[in-house]
Amino acid sequence: SQLEIALNYARDLTLRVNDNGIGMEATVLTEGKQGHFGLQGMRERARRIGSKLTLVSSASSGTQITLVVPGNVVFRKSSVTRFERIKIFLRLNAVPTQHL
């Protein structure tokens, strides 16, 4: 009946999804559901991009899925630094001076 989604970006990007349901069976949590590829696919994709996927589930507190993606994967550095952007801006917006 309740779903909470949190997205936090600091050094890394963290996505957390919680529900207050009845949880998952331990075998489904670790091995996935027979004939389904949802959890397996999520784990494979997380591994492929160097992320950490965590699933915690219990009948009394529901399920929590957390994905932590390293900052160096998500937050790519710009090829132009902030200082270089300022220099470009000033150069483009400079008023030409007249010499006498």
Side-chain angles (χ1 to χ4, degrees):
S1 65
Q2 293 181 336
L3 180 67
E4 180 181 330
I5 301 171
L7 182 63
N8 182 17
Y9 55 95
R11 174 171 252 152
D12 299 325
L13 177 81
T14 303
L15 172 65
R16 183 170 291 116
V17 180
N18 298 315
D19 70 23
N20 66 338
I22 59 171
M24 291 187 224
E25 295 176 14
T27 55
V28 172
L29 199 60
T30 57
E31 300 169 21
K33 193 172 184 180
Q34 184 69 25
H36 295 257
F37 299 100
L39 293 177
Q40 177 184 344
M42 290 168 57
R43 287 187 177 105
E44 288 174 3
R45 286 177 179 87
R47 222 179 356 261
R48 191 177 303 143
I49 63 171
S51 301
K52 181 178 180 181
L53 181 71
T54 307
L55 292 101
V56 178
S57 188
S58 76
S60 61
S61 63
T63 302
Q64 179 180 79
I65 300 173
T66 305
L67 175 68
V68 179
V69 184
N72 64 351
V73 172
V74 175
F75 308 117
R76 305 216 185 248
K77 290 188 178 181
S78 172
S79 58
V80 179
T81 67
R82 183 175 290 149
F83 179 71
E84 290 170 325
R85 284 187 206 150
I86 292 170
K87 285 188 342 185
I88 292 167
F89 174 81
L90 292 174
R91 200 174 321 126
L92 292 174
N93 293 296
V95 177
T97 58
Q98 294 181 348
H99 296 281
L100 296 175

